[in-house]
Amino acid sequence: MRTVFLLTLLVLLTACQSSGSGRYSQKHDSPPRFINGDVKTINAVPKYEPYREYNARPYTVLGKRYYPLKTGKGYQAEGVASWYGQKFHGHLTSNGETYNMFAMSAAHKTLPLPSYVRVTNLDNGKQAIVRVNDRGPFHDNRIIDLSYAAATKLDYHNSGVARVKLEVIHVDENNQVTVGNTPTVSWEEYAGIVPATSAEEDNTEARPVSRQTTESTASGDLFIQVAAISDAARAASISDVLSALYQVPAAAPLIDNIYKLRLGPLNSEHQAQALLDELKRNGYPGAYKLAL
C-alpha cells in the first residue's frame, strides 16, 4: 500500500499536469520574473540512462488514460509544442527531479523517462536537444512541453507554441545511438569523432596558430576550428553534438562553399588550449586555434 501511495503521489506532483492546484503560487504560467544574464541554451548531452520503472505504468489525468512506451527507440513525431516556466519552477517533475525552467528539459505524455529528444522548430529550422523528465502537456493538440530555456533556443518563447518535429536520441548500454527512425550508429559516428572516410571533411587548411599569433590578435574572439565540411546537414549535426559535449557555443559559417565548423568564442587562451588538446585526443588532429 505504501508503494501504491508513493506512486500516486509522484503522479500528482507532476509539474505541468495540474492547472489550478493550491501548491502553486501562480494561477497562470509565465516567463521568469528575473533572469540573471543570458539564458543558457546549450543542448542536453544524450547518454545511456536506465528508464525509471515507476514511470512506465499507465496513469490517468483529467479522465484520460495514458500508456507509456516501453522504449523511445525509433520514435519521431510532428505536432505542436508549448512551454512551461515560472509557475512550475522548483516543483517536482514526474521523474522525481526538480523542475528548472533554465535547464534544457521537457515533458511528454508517453515517452519513457528519462529520454533525450531532438526538437526542430518547423517554422524556422532551429533545433534543441532536451532531456525529457516530466509528464505532459495534457492538451490534445500538443505533443511536448519544453522548458523556458529550450523554447528560447527554438525562438518561440514569445509566441507560446510552435510546430515541431520530435526525434528521440536513443543511446543503449553499448553506446549505440539511434536518432528517430534512422539507422543505428556508434556514439563515435553520431558525435562525428571518427576519422572521415571520404573527402567530405577537409582539414588540409588546418595550421596551428602560434601563441605569438594568438596573442597579437587577443583583441578579437578566440575559436577552435574543428573541421571544414561540405555537407550542411552533417556540419549542423556535428556542430550540435560538439557544442553539447564540450558545453561551448558552436557555429558552422559557410565560407567559399565550405562549412567551417568552429567552437567558441572562448573565454581565454587557457580554455582554448584545453579544448584543443581534448579535441585532438578525441579524433580531430587537424583542429586549430583561430582568432577573429
Side-chain angles (χ1 to χ4, degrees):
M1 288 300 293
R2 176 177 175 81
T3 300
V4 173
F5 172 76
L6 290 174
L7 289 171
T8 303
L9 181 61
L10 281 170
V11 171
L12 291 175
L13 287 174
T14 299
C16 63
Q17 70 183 33
S18 176
S19 59
S21 172
R23 59 188 291 263
Y24 300 112
S25 59
Q26 292 182 223
K27 183 177 181 180
H28 301 290
D29 202 3
S30 69
R33 297 191 186 98
F34 174 78
I35 299 176
N36 184 18
D38 295 331
V39 175
K40 299 293 189 294
T41 58
I42 296 176
N43 287 327
V45 182
K47 63 181 179 180
Y48 170 70
E49 289 190 70
Y51 295 142
R52 307 287 177 88
E53 290 186 11
Y54 58 78
N55 290 125
R57 301 184 182 186
Y59 64 97
T60 302
V61 174
L62 300 177
K64 185 172 181 177
R65 192 73 166 163
Y66 295 92
Y67 297 88
L69 300 172
K70 299 300 183 184
T71 179
K73 184 176 181 180
Y75 178 92
Q76 65 180 48
E78 293 185 10
V80 176
S82 50
W83 61 265
Y84 61 126
Q86 184 70 53
K87 177 178 179 179
F88 305 98
H89 186 66
H91 291 279
L92 289 182
T93 69
S94 295
N95 219 24
E97 300 169 356
T98 302
Y99 174 61
N100 178 1
M101 61 182 164
F102 298 113
M104 296 294 283
S105 65
H108 191 278
K109 292 185 280 286
T110 58
L111 281 175
L113 302 184
S115 289
Y116 290 89
V117 179
R118 181 169 68 191
V119 186
T120 303
N121 186 331
L122 296 176
D123 294 322
N124 60 23
K126 294 184 178 182
Q127 293 186 327
I129 297 176
V130 297
R131 181 174 177 269
V132 179
N133 66 350
D134 205 356
R135 289 293 180 220
F138 297 107
H139 300 270
D140 290 338
N141 64 336
R142 298 177 189 176
I143 62 171
I144 196 167
D145 237 353
L146 298 187
S147 66
Y148 178 79
T152 299
K153 187 175 181 67
L154 294 184
D155 197 21
Y156 76 93
H157 57 296
N158 290 324
S159 61
V161 295
R163 297 186 312 113
V164 298
K165 178 179 180 180
L166 309 182
E167 298 167 285
V168 165
I169 302 176
H170 180 269
V171 183
D172 68 17
E173 297 172 81
N174 299 312
N175 273 341
Q176 298 295 298
V177 184
T178 309
V179 181
N181 60 11
T182 62
T184 299
V185 297
S186 68
W187 169 259
E188 290 76 15
E189 290 174 292
Y190 165 72
I193 61 177
V194 293
T197 57
S198 69
E200 182 178 56
E201 295 188 16
D202 178 14
N203 276 311
T204 56
E205 65 173 275
R207 297 183 179 88
V209 177
S210 67
R211 179 172 294 276
Q212 179 179 2
T213 302
T214 301
E215 290 175 349
S216 68
T217 57
S219 59
D221 289 326
L222 190 59
F223 296 81
I224 301 295
Q225 179 146 320
V226 180
I229 304 171
S230 60
D231 181 79
R234 179 168 171 77
S237 176
I238 297 176
S239 175
D240 286 344
V241 171
L242 293 184
S243 177
L245 190 62
Y246 296 110
Q247 296 293 286
V248 295
L254 182 62
I255 302 174
D256 296 328
N257 294 319
I258 294 292
Y259 295 93
K260 304 299 179 68
L261 176 54
R262 295 167 179 170
L263 299 180
L266 305 171
N267 296 326
S268 65
E269 169 71 23
H270 176 76
Q271 183 191 19
Q273 187 60 52
L275 178 57
L276 179 61
D277 293 343
E278 185 71 13
L279 285 163
K280 287 180 179 292
R281 286 193 295 269
N282 288 340
Y284 288 100
Y288 63 97
K289 286 181 283 186
L290 180 67
L292 298 175

PDB file of all heavy atoms in Angstrom, residues 124-152:
ATOM      1  N   ASN A 124      11.206  27.723 -38.313  1.00  0.00           N
ATOM      2  CA  ASN A 124      12.468  28.444 -38.515  1.00  0.00           C
ATOM      3  C   ASN A 124      13.692  27.541 -38.623  1.00  0.00           C
ATOM      4  O   ASN A 124      14.811  28.026 -38.821  1.00  0.00           O
ATOM      5  CB  ASN A 124      12.684  29.477 -37.393  1.00  0.00           C
ATOM      6  CG  ASN A 124      12.741  28.842 -36.005  1.00  0.00           C
ATOM      7  OD1 ASN A 124      13.037  27.665 -35.847  1.00  0.00           O
ATOM      8  ND2 ASN A 124      12.443  29.640 -34.980  1.00  0.00           N
ATOM      9  N   GLY A 125      13.510  26.227 -38.482  1.00  0.00           N
ATOM     10  CA  GLY A 125      14.610  25.286 -38.637  1.00  0.00           C
ATOM     11  C   GLY A 125      15.524  25.163 -37.431  1.00  0.00           C
ATOM     12  O   GLY A 125      16.456  24.351 -37.440  1.00  0.00           O
ATOM     13  N   LYS A 126      15.286  25.923 -36.369  1.00  0.00           N
ATOM     14  CA  LYS A 126      16.150  25.856 -35.197  1.00  0.00           C
ATOM     15  C   LYS A 126      15.913  24.558 -34.431  1.00  0.00           C
ATOM     16  O   LYS A 126      14.807  24.028 -34.419  1.00  0.00           O
ATOM     17  CB  LYS A 126      15.920  27.066 -34.293  1.00  0.00           C
ATOM     18  CG  LYS A 126      16.343  28.380 -34.953  1.00  0.00           C
ATOM     19  CD  LYS A 126      16.197  29.557 -34.008  1.00  0.00           C
ATOM     20  CE  LYS A 126      16.679  30.847 -34.692  1.00  0.00           C
ATOM     21  NZ  LYS A 126      16.589  32.012 -33.784  1.00  0.00           N
ATOM     22  N   GLN A 127      16.991  24.064 -33.788  1.00  0.00           N
ATOM     23  CA  GLN A 127      16.917  22.778 -33.099  1.00  0.00           C
ATOM     24  C   GLN A 127      17.407  22.890 -31.658  1.00  0.00           C
ATOM     25  O   GLN A 127      18.201  23.762 -31.320  1.00  0.00           O
ATOM     26  CB  GLN A 127      17.758  21.726 -33.825  1.00  0.00           C
ATOM     27  CG  GLN A 127      17.223  21.352 -35.193  1.00  0.00           C
ATOM     28  CD  GLN A 127      18.000  20.214 -35.818  1.00  0.00           C
ATOM     29  OE1 GLN A 127      19.209  20.078 -35.611  1.00  0.00           O
ATOM     30  NE2 GLN A 127      17.306  19.381 -36.592  1.00  0.00           N
ATOM     31  N   ALA A 128      16.923  21.987 -30.822  1.00  0.00           N
ATOM     32  CA  ALA A 128      17.366  21.875 -29.438  1.00  0.00           C
ATOM     33  C   ALA A 128      17.334  20.410 -29.042  1.00  0.00           C
ATOM     34  O   ALA A 128      16.477  19.651 -29.513  1.00  0.00           O
ATOM     35  CB  ALA A 128      16.476  22.693 -28.506  1.00  0.00           C
ATOM     36  N   ILE A 129      18.272  20.010 -28.206  1.00  0.00           N
ATOM     37  CA  ILE A 129      18.265  18.656 -27.646  1.00  0.00           C
ATOM     38  C   ILE A 129      17.904  18.781 -26.173  1.00  0.00           C
ATOM     39  O   ILE A 129      18.558  19.507 -25.416  1.00  0.00           O
ATOM     40  CB  ILE A 129      19.618  17.964 -27.808  1.00  0.00           C
ATOM     41  CG1 ILE A 129      19.941  17.790 -29.297  1.00  0.00           C
ATOM     42  CG2 ILE A 129      19.615  16.604 -27.109  1.00  0.00           C
ATOM     43  CD1 ILE A 129      21.310  17.200 -29.567  1.00  0.00           C
ATOM     44  N   VAL A 130      16.841  18.095 -25.774  1.00  0.00           N
ATOM     45  CA  VAL A 130      16.327  18.205 -24.408  1.00  0.00           C
ATOM     46  C   VAL A 130      16.273  16.834 -23.743  1.00  0.00           C
ATOM     47  O   VAL A 130      16.236  15.803 -24.416  1.00  0.00           O
ATOM     48  CB  VAL A 130      14.919  18.837 -24.390  1.00  0.00           C
ATOM     49  CG1 VAL A 130      14.952  20.258 -24.932  1.00  0.00           C
ATOM     50  CG2 VAL A 130      13.921  17.986 -25.184  1.00  0.00           C
ATOM     51  N   ARG A 131      16.272  16.856 -22.435  1.00  0.00           N
ATOM     52  CA  ARG A 131      16.105  15.630 -21.644  1.00  0.00           C
ATOM     53  C   ARG A 131      14.675  15.629 -21.101  1.00  0.00           C
ATOM     54  O   ARG A 131      14.280  16.538 -20.360  1.00  0.00           O
ATOM     55  CB  ARG A 131      17.107  15.582 -20.500  1.00  0.00           C
ATOM     56  CG  ARG A 131      17.025  14.329 -19.623  1.00  0.00           C
ATOM     57  CD  ARG A 131      18.163  14.343 -18.614  1.00  0.00           C
ATOM     58  NE  ARG A 131      18.102  13.214 -17.696  1.00  0.00           N
ATOM     59  CZ  ARG A 131      17.467  13.220 -16.531  1.00  0.00           C
ATOM     60  NH1 ARG A 131      16.816  14.314 -16.141  1.00  0.00           N
ATOM     61  NH2 ARG A 131      17.472  12.152 -15.761  1.00  0.00           N
ATOM     62  N   VAL A 132      13.904  14.633 -21.461  1.00  0.00           N
ATOM     63  CA  VAL A 132      12.511  14.530 -21.022  1.00  0.00           C
ATOM     64  C   VAL A 132      12.482  13.878 -19.647  1.00  0.00           C
ATOM     65  O   VAL A 132      12.886  12.718 -19.498  1.00  0.00           O
ATOM     66  CB  VAL A 132      11.672  13.716 -22.022  1.00  0.00           C
ATOM     67  CG1 VAL A 132      10.229  13.600 -21.546  1.00  0.00           C
ATOM     68  CG2 VAL A 132      11.715  14.357 -23.412  1.00  0.00           C
ATOM     69  N   ASN A 133      12.001  14.627 -18.664  1.00  0.00           N
ATOM     70  CA  ASN A 133      11.956  14.097 -17.291  1.00  0.00           C
ATOM     71  C   ASN A 133      10.610  14.350 -16.618  1.00  0.00           C
ATOM     72  O   ASN A 133      10.486  14.251 -15.403  1.00  0.00           O
ATOM     73  CB  ASN A 133      13.080  14.700 -16.452  1.00  0.00           C
ATOM     74  CG  ASN A 133      12.913  16.196 -16.223  1.00  0.00           C
ATOM     75  OD1 ASN A 133      12.064  16.843 -16.832  1.00  0.00           O
ATOM     76  ND2 ASN A 133      13.748  16.754 -15.348  1.00  0.00           N
ATOM     77  N   ASP A 134       9.581  14.658 -17.428  1.00  0.00           N
ATOM     78  CA  ASP A 134       8.294  15.046 -16.850  1.00  0.00           C
ATOM     79  C   ASP A 134       7.161  14.547 -17.746  1.00  0.00           C
ATOM     80  O   ASP A 134       7.378  14.175 -18.905  1.00  0.00           O
ATOM     81  CB  ASP A 134       8.244  16.565 -16.714  1.00  0.00           C
ATOM     82  CG  ASP A 134       7.287  17.033 -15.632  1.00  0.00           C
ATOM     83  OD1 ASP A 134       6.601  16.186 -15.024  1.00  0.00           O
ATOM     84  OD2 ASP A 134       7.216  18.247 -15.404  1.00  0.00           O
ATOM     85  N   ARG A 135       5.944  14.551 -17.210  1.00  0.00           N
ATOM     86  CA  ARG A 135       4.749  14.180 -17.965  1.00  0.00           C
ATOM     87  C   ARG A 135       3.956  15.429 -18.342  1.00  0.00           C
ATOM     88  O   ARG A 135       3.877  16.389 -17.585  1.00  0.00           O
ATOM     89  CB  ARG A 135       3.874  13.231 -17.154  1.00  0.00           C
ATOM     90  CG  ARG A 135       4.461  11.835 -16.996  1.00  0.00           C
ATOM     91  CD  ARG A 135       4.508  11.118 -18.303  1.00  0.00           C
ATOM     92  NE  ARG A 135       5.065   9.766 -18.177  1.00  0.00           N
ATOM     93  CZ  ARG A 135       5.883   9.233 -19.063  1.00  0.00           C
ATOM     94  NH1 ARG A 135       6.252   9.920 -20.132  1.00  0.00           N
ATOM     95  NH2 ARG A 135       6.328   8.004 -18.903  1.00  0.00           N
ATOM     96  N   GLY A 136       3.323  15.392 -19.499  1.00  0.00           N
ATOM     97  CA  GLY A 136       2.539  16.498 -20.019  1.00  0.00           C
ATOM     98  C   GLY A 136       2.950  16.754 -21.459  1.00  0.00           C
ATOM     99  O   GLY A 136       3.790  16.026 -21.992  1.00  0.00           O
ATOM    100  N   PRO A 137       2.412  17.736 -22.113  1.00  0.00           N
ATOM    101  CA  PRO A 137       1.303  18.593 -21.700  1.00  0.00           C
ATOM    102  C   PRO A 137      -0.027  17.888 -21.951  1.00  0.00           C
ATOM    103  O   PRO A 137      -0.168  17.167 -22.948  1.00  0.00           O
ATOM    104  CB  PRO A 137       1.450  19.812 -22.621  1.00  0.00           C
ATOM    105  CG  PRO A 137       2.045  19.242 -23.874  1.00  0.00           C
ATOM    106  CD  PRO A 137       2.936  18.115 -23.438  1.00  0.00           C
ATOM    107  N   PHE A 138      -0.990  18.077 -21.072  1.00  0.00           N
ATOM    108  CA  PHE A 138      -2.243  17.350 -21.182  1.00  0.00           C
ATOM    109  C   PHE A 138      -3.296  18.147 -21.946  1.00  0.00           C
ATOM    110  O   PHE A 138      -4.352  18.485 -21.445  1.00  0.00           O
ATOM    111  CB  PHE A 138      -2.705  16.908 -19.796  1.00  0.00           C
ATOM    112  CG  PHE A 138      -1.710  15.962 -19.181  1.00  0.00           C
ATOM    113  CD1 PHE A 138      -0.887  16.363 -18.145  1.00  0.00           C
ATOM    114  CD2 PHE A 138      -1.560  14.682 -19.679  1.00  0.00           C
ATOM    115  CE1 PHE A 138       0.054  15.496 -17.609  1.00  0.00           C
ATOM    116  CE2 PHE A 138      -0.625  13.807 -19.147  1.00  0.00           C
ATOM    117  CZ  PHE A 138       0.182  14.213 -18.109  1.00  0.00           C
ATOM    118  N   HIS A 139      -2.925  18.460 -23.192  1.00  0.00           N
ATOM    119  CA  HIS A 139      -3.819  19.087 -24.164  1.00  0.00           C
ATOM    120  C   HIS A 139      -3.778  18.219 -25.413  1.00  0.00           C
ATOM    121  O   HIS A 139      -2.702  17.822 -25.856  1.00  0.00           O
ATOM    122  CB  HIS A 139      -3.369  20.507 -24.497  1.00  0.00           C
ATOM    123  CG  HIS A 139      -3.341  21.424 -23.313  1.00  0.00           C
ATOM    124  ND1 HIS A 139      -4.428  22.171 -22.931  1.00  0.00           N
ATOM    125  CD2 HIS A 139      -2.353  21.704 -22.418  1.00  0.00           C
ATOM    126  CE1 HIS A 139      -4.111  22.883 -21.858  1.00  0.00           C
ATOM    127  NE2 HIS A 139      -2.862  22.613 -21.521  1.00  0.00           N
ATOM    128  N   ASP A 140      -4.919  17.948 -25.994  1.00  0.00           N
ATOM    129  CA  ASP A 140      -4.975  17.035 -27.136  1.00  0.00           C
ATOM    130  C   ASP A 140      -4.161  17.506 -28.325  1.00  0.00           C
ATOM    131  O   ASP A 140      -3.688  16.706 -29.124  1.00  0.00           O
ATOM    132  CB  ASP A 140      -6.432  16.822 -27.569  1.00  0.00           C
ATOM    133  CG  ASP A 140      -7.226  16.006 -26.554  1.00  0.00           C
ATOM    134  OD1 ASP A 140      -6.581  15.276 -25.780  1.00  0.00           O
ATOM    135  OD2 ASP A 140      -8.461  16.114 -26.545  1.00  0.00           O
ATOM    136  N   ASN A 141      -3.988  18.803 -28.465  1.00  0.00           N
ATOM    137  CA  ASN A 141      -3.321  19.305 -29.662  1.00  0.00           C
ATOM    138  C   ASN A 141      -1.847  19.630 -29.442  1.00  0.00           C
ATOM    139  O   ASN A 141      -1.228  20.288 -30.266  1.00  0.00           O
ATOM    140  CB  ASN A 141      -4.034  20.568 -30.174  1.00  0.00           C
ATOM    141  CG  ASN A 141      -3.951  21.726 -29.183  1.00  0.00           C
ATOM    142  OD1 ASN A 141      -3.775  21.498 -27.988  1.00  0.00           O
ATOM    143  ND2 ASN A 141      -4.065  22.942 -29.677  1.00  0.00           N
ATOM    144  N   ARG A 142      -1.259  19.172 -28.327  1.00  0.00           N
ATOM    145  CA  ARG A 142       0.153  19.440 -28.075  1.00  0.00           C
ATOM    146  C   ARG A 142       0.886  18.143 -27.775  1.00  0.00           C
ATOM    147  O   ARG A 142       0.369  17.285 -27.066  1.00  0.00           O
ATOM    148  CB  ARG A 142       0.309  20.425 -26.914  1.00  0.00           C
ATOM    149  CG  ARG A 142      -0.333  21.779 -27.210  1.00  0.00           C
ATOM    150  CD  ARG A 142      -0.238  22.718 -26.039  1.00  0.00           C
ATOM    151  NE  ARG A 142      -1.038  23.920 -26.254  1.00  0.00           N
ATOM    152  CZ  ARG A 142      -1.194  24.877 -25.353  1.00  0.00           C
ATOM    153  NH1 ARG A 142      -0.611  24.762 -24.167  1.00  0.00           N
ATOM    154  NH2 ARG A 142      -1.940  25.932 -25.635  1.00  0.00           N
ATOM    155  N   ILE A 143       2.119  18.038 -28.304  1.00  0.00           N
ATOM    156  CA  ILE A 143       2.839  16.777 -28.137  1.00  0.00           C
ATOM    157  C   ILE A 143       4.020  16.873 -27.180  1.00  0.00           C
ATOM    158  O   ILE A 143       4.548  15.840 -26.749  1.00  0.00           O
ATOM    159  CB  ILE A 143       3.322  16.212 -29.486  1.00  0.00           C
ATOM    160  CG1 ILE A 143       4.312  17.168 -30.166  1.00  0.00           C
ATOM    161  CG2 ILE A 143       2.146  15.911 -30.390  1.00  0.00           C
ATOM    162  CD1 ILE A 143       4.969  16.566 -31.390  1.00  0.00           C
ATOM    163  N   ILE A 144       4.461  18.081 -26.852  1.00  0.00           N
ATOM    164  CA  ILE A 144       5.592  18.216 -25.926  1.00  0.00           C
ATOM    165  C   ILE A 144       5.533  19.585 -25.264  1.00  0.00           C
ATOM    166  O   ILE A 144       5.048  20.562 -25.850  1.00  0.00           O
ATOM    167  CB  ILE A 144       6.947  18.021 -26.656  1.00  0.00           C
ATOM    168  CG1 ILE A 144       8.076  17.760 -25.648  1.00  0.00           C
ATOM    169  CG2 ILE A 144       7.264  19.210 -27.573  1.00  0.00           C
ATOM    170  CD1 ILE A 144       9.362  17.257 -26.294  1.00  0.00           C
ATOM    171  N   ASP A 145       5.983  19.631 -24.020  1.00  0.00           N
ATOM    172  CA  ASP A 145       6.140  20.876 -23.273  1.00  0.00           C
ATOM    173  C   ASP A 145       7.631  21.071 -23.045  1.00  0.00           C
ATOM    174  O   ASP A 145       8.263  20.242 -22.377  1.00  0.00           O
ATOM    175  CB  ASP A 145       5.438  20.750 -21.910  1.00  0.00           C
ATOM    176  CG  ASP A 145       4.390  21.821 -21.680  1.00  0.00           C
ATOM    177  OD1 ASP A 145       4.278  22.750 -22.499  1.00  0.00           O
ATOM    178  OD2 ASP A 145       3.679  21.729 -20.669  1.00  0.00           O
ATOM    179  N   LEU A 146       8.196  22.152 -23.550  1.00  0.00           N
ATOM    180  CA  LEU A 146       9.617  22.406 -23.357  1.00  0.00           C
ATOM    181  C   LEU A 146       9.833  23.375 -22.201  1.00  0.00           C
ATOM    182  O   LEU A 146       8.955  24.169 -21.864  1.00  0.00           O
ATOM    183  CB  LEU A 146      10.232  22.991 -24.630  1.00  0.00           C
ATOM    184  CG  LEU A 146      10.194  22.124 -25.886  1.00  0.00           C
ATOM    185  CD1 LEU A 146      10.992  22.795 -26.993  1.00  0.00           C
ATOM    186  CD2 LEU A 146      10.725  20.731 -25.627  1.00  0.00           C
ATOM    187  N   SER A 147      11.004  23.311 -21.626  1.00  0.00           N
ATOM    188  CA  SER A 147      11.375  24.294 -20.622  1.00  0.00           C
ATOM    189  C   SER A 147      11.471  25.667 -21.277  1.00  0.00           C
ATOM    190  O   SER A 147      11.571  25.801 -22.497  1.00  0.00           O
ATOM    191  CB  SER A 147      12.729  23.932 -20.003  1.00  0.00           C
ATOM    192  OG  SER A 147      13.750  24.033 -20.993  1.00  0.00           O
ATOM    193  N   TYR A 148      11.472  26.696 -20.449  1.00  0.00           N
ATOM    194  CA  TYR A 148      11.600  28.061 -20.982  1.00  0.00           C
ATOM    195  C   TYR A 148      12.910  28.215 -21.756  1.00  0.00           C
ATOM    196  O   TYR A 148      12.940  28.835 -22.820  1.00  0.00           O
ATOM    197  CB  TYR A 148      11.541  29.069 -19.841  1.00  0.00           C
ATOM    198  CG  TYR A 148      11.715  30.504 -20.297  1.00  0.00           C
ATOM    199  CD1 TYR A 148      10.660  31.205 -20.881  1.00  0.00           C
ATOM    200  CD2 TYR A 148      12.941  31.155 -20.165  1.00  0.00           C
ATOM    201  CE1 TYR A 148      10.816  32.512 -21.316  1.00  0.00           C
ATOM    202  CE2 TYR A 148      13.106  32.464 -20.588  1.00  0.00           C
ATOM    203  CZ  TYR A 148      12.045  33.128 -21.174  1.00  0.00           C
ATOM    204  OH  TYR A 148      12.223  34.426 -21.601  1.00  0.00           O
ATOM    205  N   ALA A 149      13.998  27.625 -21.249  1.00  0.00           N
ATOM    206  CA  ALA A 149      15.287  27.729 -21.931  1.00  0.00           C
ATOM    207  C   ALA A 149      15.233  27.088 -23.316  1.00  0.00           C
ATOM    208  O   ALA A 149      15.729  27.644 -24.294  1.00  0.00           O
ATOM    209  CB  ALA A 149      16.385  27.079 -21.091  1.00  0.00           C
ATOM    210  N   ALA A 150      14.630  25.902 -23.407  1.00  0.00           N
ATOM    211  CA  ALA A 150      14.541  25.212 -24.692  1.00  0.00           C
ATOM    212  C   ALA A 150      13.658  25.989 -25.670  1.00  0.00           C
ATOM    213  O   ALA A 150      13.960  26.080 -26.869  1.00  0.00           O
ATOM    214  CB  ALA A 150      14.008  23.797 -24.502  1.00  0.00           C
ATOM    215  N   ALA A 151      12.557  26.549 -25.163  1.00  0.00           N
ATOM    216  CA  ALA A 151      11.685  27.360 -26.017  1.00  0.00           C
ATOM    217  C   ALA A 151      12.424  28.595 -26.523  1.00  0.00           C
ATOM    218  O   ALA A 151      12.220  29.041 -27.658  1.00  0.00           O
ATOM    219  CB  ALA A 151      10.427  27.760 -25.265  1.00  0.00           C
ATOM    220  N   THR A 152      13.288  29.142 -25.673  1.00  0.00           N
ATOM    221  CA  THR A 152      14.104  30.288 -26.084  1.00  0.00           C
ATOM    222  C   THR A 152      15.055  29.894 -27.200  1.00  0.00           C
ATOM    223  O   THR A 152      15.231  30.625 -28.182  1.00  0.00           O
ATOM    224  CB  THR A 152      14.895  30.834 -24.878  1.00  0.00           C
ATOM    225  OG1 THR A 152      13.977  31.269 -23.873  1.00  0.00           O
ATOM    226  CG2 THR A 152      15.775  32.004 -25.286  1.00  0.00           C
TER     227      THR A 152
END
